[in-house]
Amino acid sequence: MEIDAAVRASSDARLRTKYDNAVYVVQRAFALYPFGEIAFSFNGGKDSTVLLHLIRAGYYLHKTSCGDEAQINTVQNCPLRTIYFETPCAFPEINSFTYETVSTYGLPLETIRSDFKSGLEGLLKEKSTKAIFIGTRIGDPNAVGQEQFSPSSPGWPPFMRVNPILDWSYRDVWSFLLTCKVKYCSLYDEGYTSIGSIYDTVPNALLSDSSTGNSFRPAYMLSDGRLERAGRAKKTSNKTETNSVASNGMNNAEGEQMISRSASVIVVGDEILFGTVEDKFGAALCKKLHEIGWRVSQVTVVHNEIDSVAEEVEQCKSTDDVVFIFGGLGPLHSDVSLAGVAKAFGVRLAPDEEFEEHLSQLIGNSYIGDRNEMALLPEGITELLHHKMLPLPLIKCKNVIILSATNVDELDMEWNCLLDTQESGLLRTKPFVSKHLSTLLPDVKIAPVVAKLCLEFSDVYIGSHRISRKGPLVVSLIGKPHASWKNWYSVIWALV
């Protein structure tokens, strides 16, 4: 069979692995369900074109494994029921490619001209359908929560969604199509990288050929698969966020500056708890947050255990504006931070195609195996924070930011990038002012004065510590001076 032979002859180890996994899913579906009760959803796009040929290869291998000697040498196609949802907003090239393809490979086509849900309901009423092959990939809008075998969603007609290419990337798709030398829709040679309707799809500007002016390079020449959907029209949100603050004698501008935002810091590391390594990240990050007017509610060090991370994240994410996590990132058994975050939010870890593309560009194919474990991120809640200075984007899950710094210098760089990235949510507010007084007065003398000041200036943190038992007492005053204060320095002079 030409598809199987082409992939086997390829030197691309990643493609061979992806292919083996995908055709196994196809063979498994043919083993689980009667052939007449399986369908294939084909839309003429690159993903479903890949799936078509994987089904053909899987069908051939299924027949081979079943010992059907009479058909082994003659099976080239898979006469599987094929569903095509034709819409008036589809590109003419998509329609013509679809009908040409089903004719070429002898696919019994059932064209539906209603919406997807109604069409499926009618289809399943007419003919028993237990499973449908679908070309969904992680990163697609409807991919969240799906596995390679996933029952249809509540409210939909019951059937099993079979997703053989769920963990394939944009690069995998084109590697397969070009290796197998199969025909695909001509729009992809005109610069289209992700095809929707005629109303929301244009050629990807990143493929514009400056030498000719108006033409575009083929889709397979897009070097960064993360930008596959750059040719899709994006909807903008009118949602705005506002913060209400008590005026307390302040104008709106000053009030915005006085908003109290809080953060917590979680450091993951048994080596710190064993005393092998000193935690320098917590103190450094506290200082940086302090400088932009944020208060830190707590700094916690937890074990390299998924449950320990999950419990701490669960507590902090609901009480603080932002939660920072250090440590526990990577391919080692002790790198449990992402799994802990996923558990705290009640989601699974799933392959993230965009992050996998970043890793591939950074470290090449040295990680290749069944899948890149470092590209498994909390599903449906992950946002990648990009910056030109970062070798890899930082990972943000709702209000939890996972930092990858391994030393204070790297933390400085990541912090500056976060401040330069609007999506981080780190809004600058009026910075705290710190004053520190040293006195040789005994505690019993200073205590009544400090207690009175705490009552009078409730929005000032007043704390104290001793450098040594017989040394001076250091009194710290930290707060955000504003116009309603009669005199910020009156706090200081009252102690002198």
Side-chain angles (χ1 to χ4, degrees):
M1 201 274 179
E2 85 281 7
I3 298 298
D4 190 67
V7 175
R8 299 293 175 207
S10 171
S11 60
D12 187 340
R14 176 189 174 93
L15 175 62
R16 294 198 304 270
T17 298
K18 295 288 185 178
Y19 171 80
D20 286 339
N21 293 339
V23 294
Y24 173 78
V25 174
V26 172
Q27 292 178 78
R28 185 65 179 154
F30 285 136
L32 289 172
Y33 305 102
F35 188 82
E37 297 184 353
I38 308 176
F40 164 44
S41 178
F42 185 61
N43 63 12
K46 62 185 185 305
D47 296 341
S48 61
T49 300
V50 167
L51 182 55
L52 163 64
H53 295 289
L54 288 172
I55 291 172
R56 292 178 59 229
Y59 184 66
Y60 168 80
L61 295 171
H62 173 66
K63 287 293 186 180
T64 302
S65 65
C66 291
D68 197 341
E69 299 293 341
Q71 295 189 42
I72 288 176
N73 295 323
T74 60
V75 171
Q76 289 296 316
N77 297 323
C78 177
L80 190 65
R81 289 172 52 212
T82 301
I83 310 165
Y84 177 51
F85 289 84
E86 184 178 298
T87 68
C89 58
F91 282 87
E93 293 88 345
I94 285 287
N95 283 331
S96 61
F97 174 72
T98 298
Y99 290 114
E100 178 186 345
T101 300
V102 298
S103 175
T104 299
Y105 295 103
L107 301 173
L109 183 65
E110 299 179 26
T111 302
I112 298 174
R113 294 180 174 85
S114 62
D115 67 273
F116 195 78
K117 186 175 182 180
S118 300
L120 276 180
E121 289 173 344
L123 181 74
L124 269 62
K125 283 181 181 179
E126 293 178 6
K127 194 175 296 185
S128 176
T129 305
K130 297 286 182 63
I132 301 177
F133 285 108
I134 301 174
T136 297
R137 289 191 291 121
I138 289 293
D140 292 345
N142 63 332
V144 176
Q146 290 204 47
E147 303 284 353
Q148 291 175 321
F149 286 86
S150 288
S152 54
S153 301
W156 284 68
F159 65 93
M160 182 64 72
R161 293 174 289 188
V162 184
N163 303 306
I165 62 171
L166 190 64
D167 64 345
W168 283 42
S169 69
Y170 181 85
R171 181 184 57 183
D172 297 329
V173 166
W174 282 110
S175 178
F176 178 88
L177 292 173
L178 297 176
T179 297
C180 297
K181 299 179 180 179
V182 295
K183 190 172 182 180
Y184 50 82
C185 180
S186 62
L187 289 174
Y188 292 111
D189 285 333
E190 299 173 15
Y192 291 83
T193 52
S194 177
I195 301 174
S197 79
I198 57 176
Y199 302 112
D200 67 3
T201 310
V202 295
N204 195 321
L206 296 168
L207 292 173
S208 177
D209 191 343
S210 57
S211 63
T212 58
N214 295 323
S215 65
F216 291 83
R217 290 171 292 152
Y220 58 78
M221 295 187 71
L222 182 68
S223 60
D224 191 345
R226 296 166 296 154
L227 304 173
E228 172 186 358
R229 292 179 174 267
R232 292 288 193 103
K234 296 183 179 180
K235 296 181 179 179
T236 57
S237 173
N238 294 322
K239 181 181 178 181
T240 58
E241 294 185 1
T242 58
N243 291 293
S244 60
V245 294
S247 63
N248 197 29
M250 296 176 278
N251 58 38
N252 289 338
E254 188 179 10
E256 286 294 322
Q257 289 291 301
M258 295 299 297
I259 294 173
S260 178
R261 291 184 172 87
S262 67
S264 53
V265 180
I266 302 172
V267 184
V268 182
D270 287 340
E271 64 276 9
I272 296 173
L273 293 172
F274 285 130
T276 307
V277 175
E278 180 183 356
D279 171 34
K280 296 181 180 179
F281 294 111
L285 188 55
C286 286
K287 183 177 180 180
K288 294 179 183 299
L289 287 161
H290 182 269
E291 289 172 350
I292 65 167
W294 284 54
R295 63 181 179 84
V296 179
S297 61
Q298 65 179 41
V299 177
T300 310
V301 180
V302 300
H303 285 289
N304 292 89
E305 297 172 347
I306 294 176
D307 287 343
S308 296
V309 176
E311 289 172 8
E312 200 62 36
V313 171
E314 176 67 28
Q315 174 185 326
C316 296
K317 70 183 178 67
S318 58
T319 57
D320 291 301
D321 295 289
V322 175
V323 181
F324 294 93
I325 295 184
F326 287 100
L329 278 180
L332 300 176
H333 74 284
S334 57
D335 294 324
V336 297
S337 291
L338 288 171
V341 171
K343 185 170 184 178
F345 283 98
V347 300
R348 67 170 186 169
L349 288 176
D352 187 285
E353 180 178 329
E354 179 182 351
F355 197 64
E356 188 169 10
E357 288 290 338
H358 279 291
L359 286 169
S360 298
Q361 292 183 21
L362 183 67
I363 62 176
N365 294 332
S366 59
Y367 59 81
I368 296 303
D370 182 19
R371 61 177 47 174
N372 182 0
E373 297 296 332
M374 291 173 65
L376 298 178
L377 304 182
E379 186 182 32
I381 62 170
T382 295
E383 179 182 3
L384 299 181
L385 304 180
H386 303 275
H387 194 280
K388 61 184 179 182
M389 298 299 294
L390 294 172
L392 281 176
L394 295 176
I395 301 166
K396 181 182 179 186
C397 300
K398 298 292 187 180
N399 65 332
V400 178
I401 297 176
I402 297 95
L403 297 170
S404 59
T406 59
N407 56 56
V408 175
D409 290 337
E410 290 177 4
L411 173 60
D412 289 341
M413 182 188 69
E414 291 185 1
W415 177 255
N416 291 332
C417 293
L418 284 174
L419 292 181
D420 198 31
T421 305
Q422 185 176 2
E423 292 78 10
S424 69
L426 291 177
L427 302 176
R428 292 177 181 269
T429 66
K430 194 169 186 176
F432 287 99
V433 173
S434 301
K435 298 295 179 181
H436 306 280
L437 298 174
S438 178
T439 177
L440 292 174
L441 291 173
D443 292 357
V444 292
K445 293 286 187 179
I446 201 72
V449 179
V450 171
K452 181 180 178 181
L453 291 174
C454 287
L455 292 174
E456 185 176 351
F457 297 95
S458 58
D459 49 354
V460 178
Y461 167 79
I462 303 176
S464 60
H465 68 278
R466 286 193 174 277
I467 297 176
S468 66
R469 175 51 53 191
K470 295 184 178 180
L473 177 72
V474 178
V475 180
S476 300
L477 302 101
I478 304 173
K480 297 185 178 184
H482 54 78
S484 66
W485 287 17
K486 293 180 180 179
N487 187 351
W488 160 251
Y489 291 102
S490 66
V491 182
I492 300 173
W493 293 115
L495 286 172
V496 175

